mmCIF file of all heavy atoms in Angstrom:
data_model
loop_
_atom_site.group_PDB
_atom_site.id
_atom_site.type_symbol
_atom_site.label_atom_id
_atom_site.label_comp_id
_atom_site.label_asym_id
_atom_site.label_seq_id
_atom_site.Cartn_x
_atom_site.Cartn_y
_atom_site.Cartn_z
ATOM 1 N N LEU A 348 41.437 62.084 -32.429
ATOM 2 C CA LEU A 348 40.089 61.694 -32.876
ATOM 3 C C LEU A 348 39.133 61.614 -31.685
ATOM 4 O O LEU A 348 37.960 61.991 -31.808
ATOM 5 C CB LEU A 348 40.147 60.353 -33.593
ATOM 6 C CG LEU A 348 40.985 60.306 -34.886
ATOM 7 C CD1 LEU A 348 40.830 58.955 -35.548
ATOM 8 C CD2 LEU A 348 40.561 61.410 -35.832
ATOM 9 N N LEU A 349 39.620 61.134 -30.556
ATOM 10 C CA LEU A 349 38.746 61.044 -29.361
ATOM 11 C C LEU A 349 38.367 62.448 -28.886
ATOM 12 O O LEU A 349 37.219 62.674 -28.481
ATOM 13 C CB LEU A 349 39.467 60.278 -28.253
ATOM 14 C CG LEU A 349 38.653 60.051 -26.962
ATOM 15 C CD1 LEU A 349 37.396 59.265 -27.249
ATOM 16 C CD2 LEU A 349 39.502 59.333 -25.927
ATOM 17 N N SER A 350 39.290 63.378 -28.918
ATOM 18 C CA SER A 350 38.980 64.736 -28.528
ATOM 19 C C SER A 350 37.978 65.375 -29.469
ATOM 20 O O SER A 350 37.085 66.113 -29.046
ATOM 21 C CB SER A 350 40.277 65.572 -28.481
ATOM 22 O OG SER A 350 40.030 66.894 -28.088
ATOM 23 N N ILE A 351 38.115 65.089 -30.763
ATOM 24 C CA ILE A 351 37.163 65.624 -31.755
ATOM 25 C C ILE A 351 35.767 65.048 -31.518
ATOM 26 O O ILE A 351 34.764 65.766 -31.504
ATOM 27 C CB ILE A 351 37.639 65.286 -33.183
ATOM 28 C CG1 ILE A 351 38.886 66.098 -33.528
ATOM 29 C CG2 ILE A 351 36.527 65.557 -34.191
ATOM 30 C CD1 ILE A 351 39.512 65.713 -34.856
ATOM 31 N N ARG A 352 35.699 63.740 -31.300
ATOM 32 C CA ARG A 352 34.392 63.078 -31.166
ATOM 33 C C ARG A 352 33.688 63.455 -29.868
ATOM 34 O O ARG A 352 32.443 63.550 -29.841
ATOM 35 C CB ARG A 352 34.596 61.574 -31.246
ATOM 36 C CG ARG A 352 34.969 61.073 -32.632
ATOM 37 C CD ARG A 352 35.629 59.691 -32.567
ATOM 38 N NE ARG A 352 34.865 58.736 -31.806
ATOM 39 C CZ ARG A 352 35.317 57.567 -31.432
ATOM 40 N NH1 ARG A 352 36.567 57.210 -31.709
ATOM 41 N NH2 ARG A 352 34.549 56.726 -30.747
ATOM 42 N N THR A 353 34.437 63.630 -28.793
ATOM 43 C CA THR A 353 33.816 63.929 -27.493
ATOM 44 C C THR A 353 33.677 65.411 -27.240
ATOM 45 O O THR A 353 32.848 65.825 -26.430
ATOM 46 C CB THR A 353 34.637 63.319 -26.366
ATOM 47 O OG1 THR A 353 35.980 63.841 -26.404
ATOM 48 C CG2 THR A 353 34.695 61.799 -26.489
ATOM 49 N N GLY A 354 34.510 66.228 -27.888
ATOM 50 C CA GLY A 354 34.501 67.658 -27.615
ATOM 51 C C GLY A 354 35.338 68.036 -26.404
ATOM 52 O O GLY A 354 35.364 69.207 -26.016
ATOM 53 N N PHE A 355 36.029 67.070 -25.785
ATOM 54 C CA PHE A 355 36.865 67.380 -24.638
ATOM 55 C C PHE A 355 38.080 68.197 -25.069
ATOM 56 O O PHE A 355 38.583 68.017 -26.186
ATOM 57 C CB PHE A 355 37.354 66.103 -23.944
ATOM 58 C CG PHE A 355 36.267 65.283 -23.347
ATOM 59 C CD1 PHE A 355 36.408 63.902 -23.202
ATOM 60 C CD2 PHE A 355 35.076 65.852 -22.922
ATOM 61 C CE1 PHE A 355 35.412 63.116 -22.659
ATOM 62 C CE2 PHE A 355 34.073 65.090 -22.376
ATOM 63 C CZ PHE A 355 34.223 63.717 -22.257
ATOM 64 N N PRO A 356 38.590 69.077 -24.203
ATOM 65 C CA PRO A 356 39.854 69.760 -24.530
ATOM 66 C C PRO A 356 40.950 68.725 -24.776
ATOM 67 O O PRO A 356 40.989 67.669 -24.143
ATOM 68 C CB PRO A 356 40.144 70.580 -23.265
ATOM 69 C CG PRO A 356 38.802 70.797 -22.636
ATOM 70 C CD PRO A 356 38.008 69.563 -22.943
ATOM 71 N N PHE A 357 41.851 69.034 -25.709
ATOM 72 C CA PHE A 357 42.857 68.054 -26.100
ATOM 73 C C PHE A 357 43.739 67.664 -24.931
ATOM 74 O O PHE A 357 44.079 66.491 -24.755
ATOM 75 C CB PHE A 357 43.702 68.637 -27.230
ATOM 76 C CG PHE A 357 44.706 67.672 -27.798
ATOM 77 C CD1 PHE A 357 44.329 66.386 -28.147
ATOM 78 C CD2 PHE A 357 46.012 68.050 -27.957
ATOM 79 C CE1 PHE A 357 45.263 65.482 -28.662
ATOM 80 C CE2 PHE A 357 46.949 67.159 -28.471
ATOM 81 C CZ PHE A 357 46.569 65.877 -28.828
ATOM 82 N N ARG A 358 44.145 68.645 -24.103
ATOM 83 C CA ARG A 358 45.000 68.328 -22.962
ATOM 84 C C ARG A 358 44.267 67.407 -21.958
ATOM 85 O O ARG A 358 44.902 66.550 -21.331
ATOM 86 C CB ARG A 358 45.432 69.611 -22.256
ATOM 87 C CG ARG A 358 46.398 70.468 -23.068
ATOM 88 C CD ARG A 358 47.744 69.831 -23.162
ATOM 89 N NE ARG A 358 48.687 70.629 -23.909
ATOM 90 C CZ ARG A 358 49.904 70.980 -23.481
ATOM 91 N NH1 ARG A 358 50.293 70.629 -22.271
ATOM 92 N NH2 ARG A 358 50.704 71.685 -24.249
ATOM 93 N N PHE A 359 42.978 67.576 -21.801
ATOM 94 C CA PHE A 359 42.206 66.699 -20.904
ATOM 95 C C PHE A 359 42.180 65.287 -21.464
ATOM 96 O O PHE A 359 42.312 64.309 -20.711
ATOM 97 C CB PHE A 359 40.803 67.238 -20.734
ATOM 98 C CG PHE A 359 39.907 66.390 -19.882
ATOM 99 C CD1 PHE A 359 40.098 66.287 -18.517
ATOM 100 C CD2 PHE A 359 38.864 65.665 -20.451
ATOM 101 C CE1 PHE A 359 39.288 65.488 -17.738
ATOM 102 C CE2 PHE A 359 38.043 64.869 -19.681
ATOM 103 C CZ PHE A 359 38.268 64.773 -18.312
ATOM 104 N N THR A 360 42.001 65.154 -22.765
ATOM 105 C CA THR A 360 42.000 63.820 -23.378
ATOM 106 C C THR A 360 43.350 63.148 -23.208
ATOM 107 O O THR A 360 43.435 61.942 -22.923
ATOM 108 C CB THR A 360 41.663 63.943 -24.870
ATOM 109 O OG1 THR A 360 40.446 64.648 -25.036
ATOM 110 C CG2 THR A 360 41.519 62.560 -25.490
ATOM 111 N N LEU A 361 44.437 63.922 -23.363
ATOM 112 C CA LEU A 361 45.766 63.364 -23.138
ATOM 113 C C LEU A 361 45.944 62.911 -21.694
ATOM 114 O O LEU A 361 46.566 61.879 -21.422
ATOM 115 C CB LEU A 361 46.828 64.411 -23.495
ATOM 116 C CG LEU A 361 46.966 64.786 -24.972
ATOM 117 C CD1 LEU A 361 47.989 65.890 -25.137
ATOM 118 C CD2 LEU A 361 47.351 63.587 -25.823
ATOM 119 N N ARG A 362 45.392 63.691 -20.777
ATOM 120 C CA ARG A 362 45.507 63.330 -19.352
ATOM 121 C C ARG A 362 44.791 62.013 -19.062
ATOM 122 O O ARG A 362 45.275 61.180 -18.302
ATOM 123 C CB ARG A 362 44.912 64.461 -18.488
ATOM 124 C CG ARG A 362 44.964 64.178 -17.001
ATOM 125 C CD ARG A 362 46.322 64.458 -16.417
ATOM 126 N NE ARG A 362 46.459 63.904 -15.079
ATOM 127 C CZ ARG A 362 45.937 64.439 -13.969
ATOM 128 N NH1 ARG A 362 45.233 65.568 -14.051
ATOM 129 N NH2 ARG A 362 46.135 63.881 -12.794
ATOM 130 N N LEU A 363 43.637 61.815 -19.669
ATOM 131 C CA LEU A 363 42.930 60.557 -19.484
ATOM 132 C C LEU A 363 43.736 59.387 -20.021
ATOM 133 O O LEU A 363 43.849 58.343 -19.375
ATOM 134 C CB LEU A 363 41.560 60.603 -20.196
ATOM 135 C CG LEU A 363 40.540 61.622 -19.681
ATOM 136 C CD1 LEU A 363 39.246 61.512 -20.464
ATOM 137 C CD2 LEU A 363 40.277 61.433 -18.200
ATOM 138 N N GLY A 364 44.311 59.546 -21.216
ATOM 139 C CA GLY A 364 45.142 58.492 -21.773
ATOM 140 C C GLY A 364 46.366 58.223 -20.926
ATOM 141 O O GLY A 364 46.785 57.074 -20.765
ATOM 142 N N SER A 365 46.962 59.280 -20.366
ATOM 143 C CA SER A 365 48.130 59.133 -19.516
ATOM 144 C C SER A 365 47.821 58.307 -18.290
ATOM 145 O O SER A 365 48.560 57.367 -17.916
ATOM 146 C CB SER A 365 48.635 60.516 -19.134
ATOM 147 O OG SER A 365 49.708 60.435 -18.199
ATOM 148 N N GLN A 366 46.717 58.635 -17.612
ATOM 149 C CA GLN A 366 46.332 57.874 -16.427
ATOM 150 C C GLN A 366 45.964 56.427 -16.781
ATOM 151 O O GLN A 366 46.266 55.496 -16.029
ATOM 152 C CB GLN A 366 45.137 58.546 -15.737
ATOM 153 C CG GLN A 366 45.414 59.933 -15.196
ATOM 154 C CD GLN A 366 44.174 60.508 -14.546
ATOM 155 O OE1 GLN A 366 43.718 60.033 -13.512
ATOM 156 N NE2 GLN A 366 43.596 61.515 -15.173
ATOM 157 N N ALA A 367 45.307 56.261 -17.923
ATOM 158 C CA ALA A 367 44.854 54.920 -18.324
ATOM 159 C C ALA A 367 46.058 53.998 -18.564
ATOM 160 O O ALA A 367 45.974 52.801 -18.261
ATOM 161 C CB ALA A 367 43.981 55.011 -19.559
ATOM 162 N N ILE A 368 47.140 54.534 -19.094
ATOM 163 C CA ILE A 368 48.321 53.678 -19.343
ATOM 164 C C ILE A 368 48.898 53.186 -18.025
ATOM 165 O O ILE A 368 49.259 52.000 -17.888
ATOM 166 C CB ILE A 368 49.367 54.477 -20.142
ATOM 167 C CG1 ILE A 368 48.860 54.709 -21.566
ATOM 168 C CG2 ILE A 368 50.701 53.749 -20.170
ATOM 169 C CD1 ILE A 368 49.765 55.582 -22.396
ATOM 170 N N VAL A 369 48.977 54.074 -17.030
ATOM 171 C CA VAL A 369 49.494 53.647 -15.726
ATOM 172 C C VAL A 369 48.578 52.594 -15.108
ATOM 173 O O VAL A 369 49.044 51.590 -14.567
ATOM 174 C CB VAL A 369 49.655 54.856 -14.795
ATOM 175 C CG1 VAL A 369 50.100 54.422 -13.397
ATOM 176 C CG2 VAL A 369 50.665 55.854 -15.362
ATOM 177 N N ARG A 370 47.278 52.800 -15.200
ATOM 178 C CA ARG A 370 46.329 51.842 -14.610
ATOM 179 C C ARG A 370 46.308 50.539 -15.379
ATOM 180 O O ARG A 370 46.014 49.488 -14.806
ATOM 181 C CB ARG A 370 44.939 52.468 -14.561
ATOM 182 C CG ARG A 370 44.810 53.541 -13.520
ATOM 183 C CD ARG A 370 43.390 53.970 -13.274
ATOM 184 N NE ARG A 370 43.335 54.901 -12.155
ATOM 185 C CZ ARG A 370 43.227 54.532 -10.888
ATOM 186 N NH1 ARG A 370 43.124 53.254 -10.589
ATOM 187 N NH2 ARG A 370 43.213 55.432 -9.917
ATOM 188 N N ARG A 371 46.628 50.579 -16.645
ATOM 189 C CA ARG A 371 46.688 49.333 -17.412
ATOM 190 C C ARG A 371 47.824 48.442 -16.915
ATOM 191 O O ARG A 371 47.729 47.204 -16.978
ATOM 192 C CB ARG A 371 46.891 49.629 -18.902
ATOM 193 C CG ARG A 371 46.866 48.409 -19.777
ATOM 194 C CD ARG A 371 46.870 48.771 -21.236
ATOM 195 N NE ARG A 371 48.072 49.487 -21.614
ATOM 196 C CZ ARG A 371 48.334 49.900 -22.858
ATOM 197 N NH1 ARG A 371 47.460 49.677 -23.811
ATOM 198 N NH2 ARG A 371 49.461 50.525 -23.128
ATOM 199 N N HIS A 372 48.882 49.037 -16.409
ATOM 200 C CA HIS A 372 50.024 48.280 -15.907
ATOM 201 C C HIS A 372 49.864 47.858 -14.453
ATOM 202 O O HIS A 372 50.327 46.774 -14.070
ATOM 203 C CB HIS A 372 51.307 49.083 -16.077
ATOM 204 C CG HIS A 372 51.818 49.150 -17.488
ATOM 205 N ND1 HIS A 372 52.710 48.241 -18.011
ATOM 206 C CD2 HIS A 372 51.532 50.033 -18.492
ATOM 207 C CE1 HIS A 372 52.963 48.543 -19.259
ATOM 208 N NE2 HIS A 372 52.271 49.625 -19.586
ATOM 209 N N PHE A 373 49.235 48.685 -13.634
ATOM 210 C CA PHE A 373 49.180 48.414 -12.205
ATOM 211 C C PHE A 373 47.774 48.125 -11.671
ATOM 212 O O PHE A 373 47.606 47.810 -10.519
ATOM 213 C CB PHE A 373 49.773 49.588 -11.420
ATOM 214 C CG PHE A 373 51.230 49.790 -11.659
ATOM 215 C CD1 PHE A 373 51.692 50.896 -12.342
ATOM 216 C CD2 PHE A 373 52.151 48.866 -11.196
ATOM 217 C CE1 PHE A 373 53.045 51.080 -12.565
ATOM 218 C CE2 PHE A 373 53.505 49.050 -11.404
ATOM 219 C CZ PHE A 373 53.961 50.157 -12.096
ATOM 220 N N GLY A 374 46.758 48.272 -12.540
ATOM 221 C CA GLY A 374 45.405 47.973 -12.119
ATOM 222 C C GLY A 374 44.927 48.937 -11.027
ATOM 223 O O GLY A 374 45.273 50.114 -11.010
ATOM 224 N N GLU A 375 44.117 48.431 -10.111
ATOM 225 C CA GLU A 375 43.575 49.266 -9.048
ATOM 226 C C GLU A 375 44.661 49.798 -8.119
ATOM 227 O O GLU A 375 44.465 50.810 -7.459
ATOM 228 C CB GLU A 375 42.541 48.465 -8.247
ATOM 229 C CG GLU A 375 41.326 48.051 -9.070
ATOM 230 C CD GLU A 375 40.325 47.283 -8.251
ATOM 231 O OE1 GLU A 375 40.629 47.012 -7.047
ATOM 232 O OE2 GLU A 375 39.265 46.917 -8.779
ATOM 233 N N ASN A 376 45.819 49.128 -8.044
ATOM 234 C CA ASN A 376 46.886 49.601 -7.186
ATOM 235 C C ASN A 376 47.480 50.939 -7.662
ATOM 236 O O ASN A 376 48.225 51.580 -6.911
ATOM 237 C CB ASN A 376 48.003 48.562 -7.103
ATOM 238 C CG ASN A 376 47.588 47.322 -6.330
ATOM 239 O OD1 ASN A 376 46.644 47.392 -5.539
ATOM 240 N ND2 ASN A 376 48.251 46.212 -6.566
ATOM 241 N N ALA A 377 47.168 51.330 -8.894
ATOM 242 C CA ALA A 377 47.711 52.598 -9.399
ATOM 243 C C ALA A 377 47.253 53.762 -8.551
ATOM 244 O O ALA A 377 47.909 54.816 -8.517
ATOM 245 C CB ALA A 377 47.294 52.798 -10.853
ATOM 246 N N THR A 378 46.123 53.632 -7.847
ATOM 247 C CA THR A 378 45.631 54.714 -6.994
ATOM 248 C C THR A 378 46.648 55.037 -5.904
ATOM 249 O O THR A 378 46.762 56.202 -5.491
ATOM 250 C CB THR A 378 44.284 54.320 -6.362
ATOM 251 O OG1 THR A 378 43.376 53.950 -7.395
ATOM 252 C CG2 THR A 378 43.709 55.469 -5.568
ATOM 253 N N THR A 379 47.413 54.051 -5.451
ATOM 254 C CA THR A 379 48.381 54.299 -4.385
ATOM 255 C C THR A 379 49.573 55.156 -4.861
ATOM 256 O O THR A 379 50.330 55.659 -4.036
ATOM 257 C CB THR A 379 48.923 52.964 -3.843
ATOM 258 O OG1 THR A 379 49.602 52.250 -4.891
ATOM 259 C CG2 THR A 379 47.788 52.112 -3.317
#
Side-chain angles (χ1 to χ4, degrees):
L348 298 185
L349 182 60
S350 181
I351 290 174
R352 289 159 52 191
T353 59
F355 296 153
F357 185 49
R358 292 289 181 127
F359 177 71
T360 306
L361 292 176
R362 179 80 194 282
L363 295 182
S365 175
Q366 296 180 69
I368 290 175
V369 176
R370 288 191 173 272
R371 184 172 62 178
H372 284 270
F373 294 111
E375 296 180 357
N376 290 339
T378 306
T379 62

